[in-house]
Amino acid sequence: GNSVTQMEGPVTLSEEAFLTINCTYTATGYPSLFWYVQYPGEGLQLLLKATKADDKGSNKGFEATYRKETTSFHLEKGSVQVSDSAVYFCALSTTSGGYQKVTFGTGTKLQVIP
Amino acid sequence: DTAVSQTPKYLVTQMGNDKSIKCEQNLGHDTMYWYKQDSKKFLKIMFSYNNKELIINETVPNRFSPKSPDKAHLNLHINSLELGDSAVYFCASSQSQARRWVTFGSGTRLTVV
């Protein structure tokens, strides 16, 4: 079956530090990959996506590259801000029997301190 | 306009009661979901409906019963609430054929006392 593994948190960084949150996956076929962000008290929001190998998704200074050879989709940001404090979820989507199947990782909490 | 809206946002109720959470999406999506998020932020899928047809029914107690009157609505009814049902419940939707991302509602925080 499909699975997503992401690094356990919490991750605590100082403002302007470099961020990496690791994500690896196993899936049948060719999944689409996503990062979602959940701010306190809110639902999950799509942060970025990549639909095929070597695609780079980017948004709000965050980036992730679809690496088929290492089955990874690590999230990076060059300089984090306090407002980036949230929980980040890696996810993949495949189609099976005509239906979409979405698998989420366990989430990584990021805390950015001034 | 809210894309996926669910009500109520907060629900506090006593053990043994029956409650419902309503969800509506105006995105024209054909697939809707219910997820449960526990206190550690772990997200677990409960149900998935495609065009009103149940396609995913994870190991969820029979006390939980989804109802999809049309493809824009997916409600969740919970009977005989237990303390362990306390969590945040998220409704979500997506367009299945395009393998697009899932759009989430803002959640319903259920507290059973």
Side-chain angles (χ1 to χ4, degrees):
Chain A
N2 298 340
S3 68
V4 175
T5 303
Q6 54 182 112
M7 59 191 290
E8 282 196 34
V11 174
T12 302
L13 295 173
S14 297
E15 207 165 20
E16 298 184 3
F18 184 85
L19 168 72
T20 300
I21 300 178
N22 290 336
C23 172
T24 56
Y25 67 90
T26 57
T28 53
Y30 301 95
S32 295
L33 301 175
F34 308 92
W35 276 101
Y36 288 80
V37 58
Q38 183 180 26
Y39 298 105
E42 298 183 13
L44 280 72
Q45 305 171 25
L46 179 71
L47 180 60
L48 53 84
K49 62 181 172 63
T51 57
K52 61 183 188 298
D54 299 325
D55 267 3
K56 178 186 280 188
S58 60
N59 186 24
K60 300 181 181 178
F62 291 88
E63 292 183 342
T65 301
Y66 190 142
R67 301 283 188 203
K68 191 169 184 298
E69 64 277 11
T70 55
T71 60
S72 64
F73 193 55
H74 304 322
L75 182 69
E76 296 181 337
K77 186 175 186 183
S79 176
V80 293
Q81 305 301 312
V82 172
S83 57
D84 294 326
S85 298
V87 181
Y88 292 82
F89 292 86
C90 185
L92 66 84
S93 173
T94 57
T95 302
S96 174
Y99 301 122
Q100 184 177 19
K101 186 176 171 68
V102 183
T103 305
F104 284 88
T106 52
T108 302
K109 183 174 182 179
L110 170 66
Q111 183 177 13
V112 181
I113 53 178
Chain B
D1 285 342
T2 304
V4 180
S5 59
Q6 54 182 110
T7 54
K9 189 169 176 63
Y10 300 97
L11 189 51
V12 181
T13 187
Q14 290 188 326
M15 283 175 56
N17 284 351
D18 302 340
K19 290 294 178 185
S20 293
I21 307 172
K22 294 186 175 182
C23 179
E24 175 182 5
Q25 55 96 2
N26 63 4
L27 298 166
H29 288 166
D30 62 359
T31 304
M32 295 187 73
Y33 311 83
W34 277 109
Y35 285 87
K36 179 181 180 181
Q37 186 175 49
D38 63 23
S39 58
K40 295 184 178 180
K41 302 297 184 183
F42 180 68
L43 202 62
K44 177 184 175 184
I45 189 164
M46 300 173 69
F47 302 102
S48 173
Y49 271 73
N50 180 273
N51 286 318
K52 303 195 312 177
E53 179 187 350
L54 179 65
I55 55 173
I56 291 177
N57 182 356
E58 295 294 318
T59 50
V60 175
N62 290 339
R63 300 181 293 103
F64 290 80
S65 53
K67 293 256 185 332
S68 182
D70 56 60
K71 71 175 191 177
H73 295 83
L74 180 61
N75 304 322
L76 183 65
H77 188 75
I78 316 170
N79 289 326
S80 303
L81 279 154
E82 300 177 357
L83 292 176
D85 298 332
S86 296
V88 180
Y89 293 84
F90 288 101
C91 179
S93 70
S94 68
Q95 187 59 31
S96 61
Q97 293 305 320
R99 282 201 293 168
R100 291 171 67 87
W101 57 93
V102 177
T103 302
F104 282 81
S106 57
T108 296
R109 181 174 293 276
L110 171 65
T111 303
V112 182
V113 297

Coordinates of all heavy atoms in Angstrom, one line a residue, chain A residues 4-90:
Chain A
V4 N 3.5 7.4 3.6 CA 4.3 8.6 3.6 C 5.0 8.7 5.0 O 4.3 8.6 6.0 CB 3.4 9.9 3.4 CG1 4.3 11.1 3.6 CG2 2.8 9.9 2.0
T5 N 6.3 8.9 5.0 CA 7.0 9.0 6.2 C 7.7 10.4 6.3 O 8.4 10.8 5.3 CB 8.1 7.9 6.3 OG1 7.5 6.7 6.1 CG2 8.9 8.0 7.6
Q6 N 7.4 11.1 7.3 CA 8.1 12.4 7.5 C 8.7 12.5 8.8 O 8.3 11.8 9.8 CB 7.1 13.6 7.2 CG 5.8 13.6 8.0 CD 4.9 14.8 7.6 OE1 3.9 14.6 7.1 NE2 5.3 16.0 8.0
M7 N 9.7 13.4 8.9 CA 10.4 13.5 10.2 C 9.5 13.9 11.3 O 8.6 14.7 11.2 CB 11.6 14.5 10.0 CG 11.2 15.9 9.6 SD 12.6 16.8 9.2 CE 13.5 17.0 10.7
E8 N 9.9 13.4 12.5 CA 9.1 13.7 13.6 C 9.5 15.1 14.1 O 10.6 15.5 14.0 CB 9.4 12.7 14.8 CG 8.6 11.4 14.6 CD 8.6 10.5 15.8 OE1 8.5 11.1 16.9 OE2 8.6 9.3 15.7
G9 N 8.5 15.8 14.7 CA 8.8 17.0 15.3 C 8.8 16.9 16.8 O 8.8 15.9 17.3
P10 N 8.7 18.0 17.5 CA 8.7 19.4 16.8 C 10.1 19.8 16.4 O 11.1 19.4 16.9 CB 8.2 20.3 17.9 CG 8.6 19.6 19.2 CD 8.6 18.1 18.9
V11 N 10.1 20.7 15.4 CA 11.3 21.3 14.9 C 11.3 22.7 15.4 O 10.3 23.5 15.1 CB 11.4 21.3 13.3 CG1 12.6 22.1 12.8 CG2 11.4 19.8 12.8
T12 N 12.3 23.1 16.1 CA 12.4 24.5 16.6 C 13.6 25.2 16.0 O 14.7 24.7 16.0 CB 12.5 24.5 18.1 OG1 11.4 23.8 18.7 CG2 12.6 25.9 18.7
L13 N 13.3 26.3 15.3 CA 14.3 27.1 14.6 C 14.2 28.6 15.0 O 13.1 29.0 15.4 CB 14.1 27.0 13.1 CG 14.3 25.6 12.5 CD1 13.9 25.7 11.0 CD2 15.7 25.2 12.6
S14 N 15.3 29.2 14.9 CA 15.4 30.7 15.1 C 14.9 31.3 13.8 O 15.1 30.8 12.7 CB 16.7 31.2 15.5 OG 17.1 30.6 16.7
E15 N 14.4 32.5 13.9 CA 14.0 33.3 12.7 C 15.2 33.4 11.8 O 16.3 33.6 12.2 CB 13.5 34.6 13.1 CG 12.5 35.2 12.2 CD 11.7 36.4 12.8 OE1 12.2 37.0 13.8 OE2 10.6 36.7 12.3
E16 N 14.9 33.3 10.5 CA 15.9 33.4 9.4 C 16.7 32.2 9.2 O 17.6 32.1 8.4 CB 16.8 34.7 9.6 CG 16.0 36.0 9.5 CD 16.9 37.2 9.6 OE1 18.1 37.0 9.6 OE2 16.3 38.3 9.6
A17 N 16.5 31.1 10.0 CA 17.2 29.9 9.8 C 16.7 29.1 8.6 O 15.6 29.4 8.1 CB 17.1 29.0 11.1
F18 N 17.5 28.2 8.1 CA 17.2 27.3 7.0 C 16.3 26.2 7.5 O 16.7 25.5 8.5 CB 18.4 26.8 6.3 CG 18.1 26.1 5.0 CD1 18.0 26.7 3.8 CD2 18.1 24.7 5.1 CE1 17.7 26.0 2.7 CE2 17.8 23.9 3.9 CZ 17.6 24.6 2.7
L19 N 15.3 25.9 6.7 CA 14.4 24.8 7.1 C 14.5 23.6 6.1 O 14.4 23.8 4.9 CB 12.9 25.3 7.2 CG 11.8 24.2 7.3 CD1 11.8 23.6 8.7 CD2 10.5 24.8 7.0
T20 N 14.5 22.4 6.6 CA 14.3 21.2 5.9 C 13.4 20.3 6.7 O 13.7 20.0 7.8 CB 15.6 20.5 5.5 OG1 16.5 21.3 4.8 CG2 15.3 19.2 4.7
I21 N 12.3 19.8 6.0 CA 11.5 18.8 6.6 C 11.5 17.6 5.6 O 11.1 17.8 4.5 CB 10.1 19.3 6.9 CG1 10.0 20.4 7.9 CG2 9.2 18.1 7.5 CD1 8.7 21.0 8.1
N22 N 12.0 16.5 6.1 CA 12.2 15.4 5.2 C 10.8 14.6 5.0 O 10.0 14.5 6.0 CB 13.2 14.4 5.8 CG 14.6 15.0 5.7 OD1 14.9 15.8 4.8 ND2 15.5 14.5 6.5
C23 N 10.7 14.1 3.8 CA 9.5 13.3 3.5 C 9.9 12.3 2.5 O 10.5 12.6 1.4 CB 8.4 14.2 2.9 SG 7.0 13.3 2.2
T24 N 9.6 11.0 2.8 CA 9.8 9.9 1.8 C 8.5 9.2 1.6 O 7.6 9.2 2.5 CB 10.9 9.0 2.2 OG1 10.6 8.4 3.5 CG2 12.2 9.7 2.3
Y25 N 8.3 8.5 0.5 CA 7.1 7.9 0.3 C 7.3 6.5 -0.4 O 8.3 6.2 -1.0 CB 6.2 8.7 -0.7 CG 6.8 8.9 -2.0 CD1 6.4 8.0 -3.1 CD2 7.6 9.9 -2.4 CE1 6.9 8.1 -4.3 CE2 8.2 10.0 -3.6 CZ 7.8 9.1 -4.6 OH 8.3 9.2 -5.9
T26 N 6.3 5.7 -0.3 CA 6.2 4.4 -1.1 C 4.8 4.5 -1.7 O 3.8 4.8 -1.1 CB 6.3 3.2 -0.2 OG1 5.3 3.2 0.8 CG2 7.7 3.1 0.4
A27 N 4.8 4.1 -3.0 CA 3.5 4.2 -3.7 C 3.6 3.3 -4.9 O 4.6 3.1 -5.5 CB 3.1 5.6 -4.1
T28 N 2.4 2.8 -5.4 CA 2.4 2.1 -6.6 C 2.1 3.1 -7.7 O 1.3 4.1 -7.5 CB 1.2 1.0 -6.6 OG1 0.0 1.6 -6.2 CG2 1.6 -0.1 -5.6
G29 N 2.6 2.9 -8.8 CA 2.4 3.8 -9.9 C 3.2 5.1 -9.7 O 4.2 5.2 -9.1
Y30 N 2.6 6.2 -10.3 CA 3.2 7.5 -10.3 C 2.4 8.5 -9.5 O 1.4 9.1 -10.1 CB 3.5 8.0 -11.7 CG 4.3 7.0 -12.5 CD1 3.7 6.0 -13.2 CD2 5.7 7.0 -12.3 CE1 4.5 5.1 -13.9 CE2 6.5 6.1 -13.0 CZ 5.9 5.1 -13.8 OH 6.7 4.2 -14.5
P31 N 2.7 8.7 -8.2 CA 1.8 9.6 -7.4 C 2.0 11.1 -7.7 O 3.1 11.4 -8.2 CB 2.2 9.2 -6.0 CG 3.7 8.8 -6.1 CD 3.8 8.1 -7.5
S32 N 1.1 11.9 -7.4 CA 1.3 13.3 -7.2 C 1.6 13.5 -5.8 O 1.2 12.8 -4.9 CB 0.0 14.1 -7.5 OG -0.3 13.9 -8.9
L33 N 2.5 14.5 -5.5 CA 3.0 14.8 -4.2 C 2.6 16.2 -3.7 O 2.6 17.1 -4.6 CB 4.5 14.6 -4.1 CG 5.0 13.2 -4.5 CD1 6.6 13.2 -4.6 CD2 4.5 12.2 -3.6
F34 N 2.4 16.3 -2.4 CA 1.9 17.6 -1.9 C 2.5 17.9 -0.6 O 2.8 17.0 0.2 CB 0.3 17.5 -1.7 CG -0.4 17.1 -2.9 CD1 -0.7 15.8 -3.1 CD2 -0.9 18.0 -3.9 CE1 -1.5 15.3 -4.2 CE2 -1.6 17.6 -5.0 CZ -1.9 16.3 -5.1
W35 N 2.6 19.2 -0.3 CA 2.8 19.6 1.1 C 1.6 20.5 1.5 O 1.2 21.4 0.7 CB 4.1 20.4 1.3 CG 5.3 19.6 1.4 CD1 6.2 19.2 0.5 CD2 5.7 19.0 2.7 NE1 7.2 18.4 1.0 CE2 6.9 18.2 2.4 CE3 5.2 18.9 4.0 CZ2 7.6 17.5 3.3 CZ3 5.9 18.2 4.9 CH2 7.1 17.5 4.6
Y36 N 1.1 20.2 2.7 CA 0.0 21.0 3.3 C 0.5 21.7 4.5 O 1.4 21.1 5.2 CB -1.2 20.1 3.6 CG -2.0 19.6 2.5 CD1 -1.6 18.5 1.8 CD2 -3.2 20.2 2.1 CE1 -2.3 17.9 0.7 CE2 -3.9 19.7 1.1 CZ -3.5 18.6 0.4 OH -4.2 18.1 -0.7
V37 N -0.1 22.8 4.9 CA 0.3 23.5 6.1 C -1.0 23.7 6.9 O -2.1 24.0 6.4 CB 1.0 24.8 5.8 CG1 0.1 25.8 4.9 CG2 1.4 25.5 7.1
Q38 N -0.9 23.5 8.2 CA -2.0 23.7 9.1 C -1.6 24.7 10.2 O -0.8 24.4 11.0 CB -2.5 22.4 9.8 CG -3.7 22.6 10.6 CD -4.1 21.3 11.3 OE1 -3.4 20.4 11.5 NE2 -5.4 21.2 11.6
Y39 N -2.2 25.9 10.1 CA -1.9 26.9 11.1 C -2.8 26.6 12.3 O -3.9 26.0 12.2 CB -2.1 28.3 10.6 CG -1.2 28.7 9.4 CD1 -1.7 28.7 8.1 CD2 0.1 29.0 9.7 CE1 -0.8 29.0 7.1 CE2 1.0 29.2 8.6 CZ 0.5 29.2 7.3 OH 1.3 29.5 6.3
P40 N -2.4 27.1 13.5 CA -3.2 26.8 14.7 C -4.7 27.2 14.6 O -5.0 28.3 14.1 CB -2.5 27.7 15.8 CG -1.1 27.8 15.3 CD -1.2 27.9 13.8
G41 N -5.5 26.2 14.9 CA -7.0 26.4 14.9 C -7.6 26.4 13.5 O -8.8 26.8 13.3
E42 N -6.8 26.0 12.5 CA -7.4 26.1 11.1 C -7.3 24.7 10.5 O -6.7 23.8 11.0 CB -6.6 27.1 10.2 CG -6.7 28.5 10.7 CD -6.0 29.5 9.8 OE1 -5.6 29.1 8.7 OE2 -5.8 30.6 10.3
G43 N -7.9 24.6 9.3 CA -7.8 23.4 8.5 C -6.5 23.3 7.7 O -5.7 24.3 7.7
L44 N -6.3 22.2 7.0 CA -5.1 22.1 6.2 C -5.3 22.9 4.9 O -6.3 22.9 4.3 CB -4.8 20.6 5.9 CG -4.1 19.7 6.9 CD1 -5.1 19.4 8.0 CD2 -3.6 18.5 6.3
Q45 N -4.2 23.5 4.5 CA -4.2 24.3 3.3 C -3.1 23.7 2.4 O -2.0 23.4 2.9 CB -3.9 25.8 3.5 CG -4.8 26.5 4.5 CD -4.2 27.9 4.8 OE1 -3.5 28.5 4.0 NE2 -4.6 28.4 5.9
L46 N -3.4 23.7 1.1 CA -2.3 23.2 0.2 C -1.2 24.3 0.2 O -1.4 25.5 0.0 CB -2.9 23.1 -1.2 CG -1.9 22.7 -2.3 CD1 -1.4 21.2 -2.1 CD2 -2.4 22.8 -3.7
L47 N 0.0 23.8 0.3 CA 1.2 24.7 0.3 C 1.9 24.7 -1.1 O 2.1 25.7 -1.7 CB 2.2 24.4 1.4 CG 3.5 25.2 1.5 CD1 3.1 26.7 1.7 CD2 4.4 24.6 2.5
L48 N 2.1 23.5 -1.6 CA 2.7 23.3 -2.9 C 2.5 21.9 -3.4 O 2.2 21.0 -2.6 CB 4.2 23.7 -2.9 CG 5.1 23.0 -1.9 CD1 5.6 21.7 -2.4 CD2 6.3 23.9 -1.6
K49 N 2.8 21.7 -4.7 CA 2.5 20.3 -5.2 C 3.5 20.1 -6.4 O 4.1 21.0 -6.9 CB 1.1 20.2 -5.7 CG 0.8 21.2 -6.8 CD -0.7 21.0 -7.3 CE -1.1 22.1 -8.2 NZ -0.4 22.1 -9.5
A50 N 3.6 18.8 -6.7 CA 4.4 18.4 -7.9 C 3.8 17.1 -8.4 O 3.4 16.2 -7.6 CB 5.9 18.1 -7.5
T51 N 3.6 17.0 -9.7 CA 2.9 15.9 -10.3 C 3.7 14.9 -11.0 O 3.2 13.8 -11.3 CB 1.8 16.5 -11.2 OG1 2.4 17.2 -12.2 CG2 0.8 17.3 -10.5
K52 N 5.0 15.2 -11.3 CA 5.8 14.2 -11.9 C 7.3 14.4 -11.5 O 7.7 15.4 -10.9 CB 5.7 14.3 -13.4 CG 6.1 15.6 -14.0 CD 5.8 15.6 -15.5 CE 6.4 16.8 -16.2 NZ 5.8 18.0 -15.8
A53 N 8.0 13.4 -11.8 CA 9.4 13.4 -11.4 C 10.2 14.6 -11.9 O 10.0 15.1 -13.0 CB 10.1 12.1 -11.9
D54 N 11.0 15.1 -11.0 CA 11.9 16.3 -11.2 C 11.1 17.6 -11.2 O 11.7 18.7 -11.2 CB 12.7 16.2 -12.5 CG 13.6 15.0 -12.5 OD1 14.1 14.7 -11.4 OD2 13.8 14.4 -13.5
D55 N 9.8 17.6 -11.0 CA 9.0 18.8 -10.8 C 9.4 19.5 -9.5 O 9.6 18.8 -8.5 CB 7.5 18.5 -10.8 CG 6.8 18.6 -12.1 OD1 7.5 18.8 -13.1 OD2 5.6 18.4 -12.1
K56 N 9.4 20.8 -9.5 CA 9.7 21.5 -8.3 C 8.4 22.3 -8.0 O 8.0 23.1 -8.8 CB 10.9 22.4 -8.4 CG 11.1 23.3 -7.1 CD 12.2 24.3 -7.3 CE 13.6 23.7 -7.2 NZ 14.7 24.7 -7.2
G57 N 7.8 22.1 -6.8 CA 6.7 22.9 -6.3 C 7.3 24.0 -5.5 O 8.2 23.8 -4.7
S58 N 6.7 25.2 -5.6 CA 7.1 26.3 -4.8 C 6.0 27.2 -4.4 O 5.0 27.4 -5.2 CB 8.2 27.1 -5.5 OG 7.8 27.6 -6.7
N59 N 6.1 27.8 -3.3 CA 5.0 28.8 -2.8 C 5.5 29.4 -1.5 O 6.0 28.8 -0.6 CB 3.7 28.0 -2.6 CG 2.6 29.0 -2.3 OD1 2.6 30.2 -2.6 ND2 1.5 28.5 -1.6
K60 N 5.3 30.7 -1.4 CA 5.6 31.5 -0.2 C 7.1 31.3 0.3 O 7.3 31.3 1.5 CB 4.7 31.1 0.9 CG 3.2 31.4 0.6 CD 2.3 31.0 1.8 CE 0.9 31.2 1.5 NZ 0.0 30.8 2.7
G61 N 8.0 31.0 -0.6 CA 9.4 30.8 -0.3 C 9.7 29.4 0.0 O 10.9 29.0 0.2
F62 N 8.7 28.5 0.1 CA 8.9 27.1 0.3 C 9.1 26.4 -1.0 O 8.5 26.8 -2.0 CB 7.7 26.4 1.0 CG 7.5 26.9 2.5 CD1 6.8 28.0 2.8 CD2 8.1 26.1 3.5 CE1 6.6 28.4 4.1 CE2 8.0 26.5 4.8 CZ 7.2 27.6 5.1
E63 N 10.0 25.3 -1.0 CA 10.2 24.6 -2.2 C 10.3 23.1 -1.9 O 10.7 22.7 -0.8 CB 11.5 25.0 -2.9 CG 11.6 26.3 -3.5 CD 12.9 26.6 -4.2 OE1 13.9 25.9 -3.9 OE2 13.0 27.5 -5.0
A64 N 9.9 22.2 -2.8 CA 10.1 20.8 -2.7 C 10.3 20.2 -4.1 O 9.5 20.6 -5.0 CB 9.0 20.2 -2.0
T65 N 11.2 19.3 -4.3 CA 11.4 18.7 -5.6 C 11.1 17.2 -5.5 O 11.5 16.5 -4.6 CB 12.9 18.8 -6.0 OG1 13.2 20.2 -6.1 CG2 13.1 18.2 -7.4
Y66 N 10.3 16.8 -6.5 CA 9.9 15.4 -6.6 C 11.1 14.6 -7.1 O 11.5 14.6 -8.3 CB 8.8 15.4 -7.7 CG 8.0 14.1 -7.9 CD1 6.6 14.2 -8.1 CD2 8.5 12.8 -7.8 CE1 5.8 13.1 -8.3 CE2 7.8 11.7 -8.0 CZ 6.4 11.8 -8.3 OH 5.6 10.7 -8.5
R67 N 11.6 13.7 -6.2 CA 12.8 12.9 -6.5 C 12.3 11.5 -6.6 O 12.1 10.8 -5.6 CB 13.8 13.0 -5.4 CG 14.3 14.5 -5.2 CD 15.3 14.9 -6.3 NE 15.9 16.2 -6.0 CZ 16.4 17.0 -7.0 NH1 16.4 16.6 -8.3 NH2 17.0 18.1 -6.6
K68 N 12.1 11.0 -7.8 CA 11.7 9.6 -8.0 C 12.7 8.6 -7.6 O 12.4 7.5 -7.0 CB 11.2 9.4 -9.4 CG 10.5 8.1 -9.7 CD 9.9 8.1 -11.1 CE 9.0 6.9 -11.3 NZ 9.7 5.7 -11.3
E69 N 14.0 8.9 -7.8 CA 15.0 7.9 -7.6 C 15.2 7.7 -6.1 O 15.6 6.6 -5.7 CB 16.4 8.4 -8.2 CG 16.9 9.7 -7.7 CD 16.3 10.9 -8.3 OE1 15.3 10.8 -9.0 OE2 16.9 12.0 -8.0
T70 N 14.9 8.7 -5.3 CA 15.0 8.5 -3.8 C 13.7 8.5 -3.1 O 13.6 8.5 -1.9 CB 15.9 9.7 -3.2 OG1 15.3 10.9 -3.6 CG2 17.3 9.6 -3.7
T71 N 12.6 8.5 -3.9 CA 11.2 8.6 -3.4 C 11.1 9.6 -2.3 O 10.6 9.3 -1.2 CB 10.7 7.2 -3.0 OG1 11.5 6.7 -2.0 CG2 10.7 6.2 -4.2
S72 N 11.5 10.8 -2.6 CA 11.5 11.8 -1.6 C 10.9 13.1 -2.1 O 10.8 13.3 -3.3 CB 12.9 12.1 -1.1 OG 13.7 12.6 -2.1
F73 N 10.4 13.9 -1.2 CA 9.8 15.2 -1.5 C 10.0 16.1 -0.3 O 9.1 16.6 0.4 CB 8.3 15.0 -1.8 CG 7.6 16.2 -2.4 CD1 8.1 16.7 -3.6 CD2 6.4 16.7 -1.8 CE1 7.4 17.8 -4.2 CE2 5.8 17.7 -2.4 CZ 6.3 18.3 -3.6
H74 N 11.3 16.5 -0.1 CA 11.7 17.2 1.1 C 11.3 18.7 1.0 O 11.5 19.3 -0.1 CB 13.2 17.2 1.4 CG 13.7 15.8 1.5 ND1 13.0 14.8 2.1 CD2 14.8 15.2 1.0 CE1 13.7 13.6 2.1 NE2 14.8 13.9 1.4
L75 N 10.8 19.3 2.1 CA 10.3 20.7 2.1 C 11.5 21.5 2.6 O 12.1 21.2 3.6 CB 9.1 20.8 3.0 CG 8.5 22.2 3.1 CD1 7.9 22.6 1.7 CD2 7.5 22.3 4.2
E76 N 11.7 22.6 1.9 CA 12.8 23.5 2.3 C 12.4 25.0 2.2 O 11.5 25.3 1.4 CB 14.0 23.4 1.3 CG 14.7 22.0 1.4 CD 15.9 21.9 0.5 OE1 16.0 22.6 -0.5 OE2 16.7 21.0 0.8
K77 N 13.0 25.8 3.1 CA 12.8 27.2 3.0 C 14.1 27.9 3.5 O 14.7 27.5 4.5 CB 11.6 27.7 3.8 CG 11.3 29.2 3.6 CD 10.1 29.7 4.4 CE 9.8 31.2 4.0 NZ 8.7 31.7 4.7
G78 N 14.5 28.9 2.7 CA 15.8 29.5 3.0 C 15.9 30.3 4.3 O 16.9 30.3 5.0
S79 N 14.8 30.9 4.7 CA 14.8 31.8 5.8 C 13.4 31.8 6.4 O 12.5 32.5 5.9 CB 15.2 33.2 5.3 OG 15.1 34.1 6.4
V80 N 13.2 31.1 7.5 CA 11.9 31.0 8.1 C 11.6 32.2 8.9 O 12.4 32.9 9.4 CB 11.8 29.7 9.0 CG1 11.9 28.5 8.1 CG2 12.8 29.7 10.1
Q81 N 10.3 32.4 9.1 CA 9.7 33.6 9.8 C 8.8 33.0 11.0 O 8.4 31.8 10.9 CB 8.9 34.5 9.0 CG 9.7 35.0 7.7 CD 10.9 35.8 8.1 OE1 10.8 36.7 9.0 NE2 12.0 35.5 7.5
V82 N 8.6 33.8 12.0 CA 7.7 33.4 13.1 C 6.4 33.0 12.5 O 5.8 32.0 13.0 CB 7.6 34.5 14.1 CG1 6.5 34.1 15.1 CG2 8.9 34.8 14.8
S83 N 5.9 33.6 11.5 CA 4.6 33.3 10.9 C 4.6 32.0 10.2 O 3.5 31.5 9.8 CB 4.2 34.4 9.9 OG 5.2 34.5 8.9
D84 N 5.7 31.3 10.0 CA 5.7 30.0 9.4 C 5.5 28.9 10.5 O 5.3 27.7 10.1 CB 7.1 29.7 8.8 CG 7.3 30.6 7.6 OD1 6.4 30.9 6.9 OD2 8.5 31.0 7.3
S85 N 5.3 29.3 11.7 CA 5.1 28.3 12.8 C 3.7 27.6 12.5 O 2.7 28.3 12.4 CB 5.0 29.0 14.1 OG 6.3 29.5 14.4
A86 N 3.7 26.3 12.3 CA 2.6 25.6 11.9 C 2.9 24.1 11.9 O 4.1 23.7 12.2 CB 2.1 26.0 10.5
V87 N 1.9 23.3 11.5 CA 2.2 21.8 11.3 C 2.2 21.6 9.8 O 1.3 22.0 9.1 CB 1.1 21.0 12.0 CG1 1.4 19.5 11.8 CG2 1.1 21.3 13.5
Y88 N 3.2 20.9 9.3 CA 3.4 20.6 7.9 C 3.1 19.1 7.6 O 3.7 18.3 8.3 CB 4.7 21.1 7.4 CG 4.9 22.6 7.5 CD1 5.2 23.2 8.7 CD2 4.7 23.4 6.4 CE1 5.3 24.6 8.8 CE2 4.8 24.7 6.4 CZ 5.1 25.3 7.6 OH 5.2 26.7 7.7
F89 N 2.3 18.9 6.6 CA 2.0 17.5 6.2 C 2.4 17.2 4.8 O 2.1 18.0 3.9 CB 0.4 17.3 6.3 CG -0.1 17.3 7.7 CD1 -0.5 18.5 8.2 CD2 -0.3 16.1 8.4 CE1 -1.1 18.6 9.5 CE2 -0.9 16.2 9.7 CZ -1.2 17.4 10.2
C90 N 3.1 16.1 4.7 CA 3.5 15.6 3.3 C 2.4 14.6 2.9 O 1.8 13.9 3.8 CB 4.8 14.9 3.4 SG 5.5 14.4 1.8

